[in-house]
Amino acid sequence: DAGVIQSPRHEVTEMGQEVTLRCKPISGHNSLFWYRQTMMRGLELLIYFNNNVPIDDSGMPEDRFSAKMPNASFSTLKIQPSEPRDSAVYFCASSLRRSGSAGELFFGEGSRLTVL
Amino acid sequence: QKEVEQNSGPLSVPEGAIASLNCTYSDRGSQSFFWYRQYSGKSPELIMSIYSNGDKEDGRFTAQLNKASQYVSLLIRDSQPSDSATYLCAAYSSNTGKLIFGQGTTLQVKP
């Protein structure tokens, strides 16, 4: 299997611009997670989906952030407008949600976002 | 109080020694616990999972869980320089469906 695929790997943009991060989960996985990692705050859960349905978005920092999962093989995380404090590595992860294994996540390589 | 707490380190051990990494969690509803390893500039990868009290061994790695004390640990025997990485402890609660990570402990194994 190809693993979780994220794009772009690196994004440099200017404050105020829209940023869209993309994720393709592992085929057959039914849960998808978006995390953000910074030195100060570590790995923070932003939102997760089960069977394409958003279950908990309480980690989304503010209304500038939105996430969608239109089908089982694609998800996007959008930031509009972007701010310098959004600079971080954004990870997408997927898992096969079944009893006892829901915490076994497979991570993509991450999208490193720099907002100038 | 953070939901999952770890000492950020760095923890430095000589090659061949035992490295002991510790983690505490605050949500008593957490049922499953995981250790992820993250090399610098890479993504986290799962190395151990533990679901019940006691020890679980896998090669050079042993995970320990004490739910009464809300404590999880990872022992790495015969540490190798290739074990140098950040180790992330994570707790999963089926009540919330969330996997929450600690800040991670950086391990340095010196040849």
Side-chain angles (χ1 to χ4, degrees):
Chain A
D1 204 326
V4 177
I5 299 173
Q6 290 187 245
S7 64
R9 293 291 312 279
H10 301 274
E11 174 97 5
V12 180
T13 191
E14 293 189 348
M15 184 173 63
Q17 296 299 304
E18 177 178 295
V19 173
T20 300
L21 308 178
R22 298 173 177 81
C23 176
K24 177 179 169 55
I26 292 173
S27 177
H29 281 189
N30 54 7
S31 292
L32 184 140
F33 303 78
W34 282 101
Y35 285 88
R36 176 173 69 175
Q37 188 173 41
T38 61
M39 288 291 293
M40 289 295 295
R41 301 176 68 88
L43 201 57
E44 302 174 279
L45 176 64
L46 300 177
I47 185 171
Y48 76 95
F49 297 81
N50 283 342
N51 297 314
N52 314 338
V53 177
I55 303 300
D56 191 319
D57 65 354
S58 59
M60 297 285 260
E62 47 198 271
D63 291 346
R64 298 184 297 106
F65 285 69
S66 63
K68 294 182 179 180
M69 191 166 186
N71 56 61
S73 59
F74 184 67
S75 177
T76 59
L77 178 67
K78 185 175 293 186
I79 308 171
Q80 166 63 19
S82 58
E83 297 183 3
R85 59 190 167 132
D86 302 330
S87 298
V89 180
Y90 291 80
F91 286 106
C92 175
S94 70
S95 73
L96 180 59
R97 182 180 175 85
R98 59 175 185 260
S99 178
S101 71
E104 297 177 6
L105 269 54
F106 294 82
F107 282 80
E109 293 186 303
S111 294
R112 181 175 294 276
L113 173 64
T114 302
V115 183
L116 303 175
Chain B
Q1 179 189 9
K2 293 183 179 178
E3 294 184 61
V4 179
E5 296 208 45
Q6 298 180 252
N7 187 323
S8 62
L11 172 66
S12 182
V13 301
E15 184 175 355
I18 295 175
S20 177
L21 305 165
N22 305 313
C23 168
T24 59
Y25 60 95
S26 60
D27 182 1
R28 285 195 173 275
S30 298
Q31 298 121 336
S32 309
F33 304 88
F34 305 84
W35 286 97
Y36 284 75
R37 178 177 62 200
Q38 186 175 24
Y39 292 112
S40 180
K42 302 295 185 182
S43 58
E45 59 175 332
L46 178 66
I47 56 172
M48 287 288 285
S49 58
I50 187 164
Y51 305 101
S52 55
N53 282 330
D55 296 357
K56 179 181 177 182
E57 186 174 320
D58 183 1
R60 296 187 295 112
F61 297 94
T62 299
Q64 300 173 317
L65 173 61
N66 183 326
K67 290 186 177 180
S69 300
Q70 296 176 247
Y71 178 87
V72 192
S73 67
L74 179 69
L75 300 178
I76 306 175
R77 290 182 299 282
D78 188 23
S79 295
Q80 301 297 309
S82 59
D83 295 327
S84 298
T86 296
Y87 290 81
L88 299 162
C89 174
Y92 175 81
S93 169
S94 63
N95 293 334
T96 63
K98 294 181 180 180
L99 183 68
I100 303 299
F101 286 84
Q103 284 277 88
T105 298
T106 299
L107 173 66
Q108 297 173 345
V109 181
K110 297 186 175 181

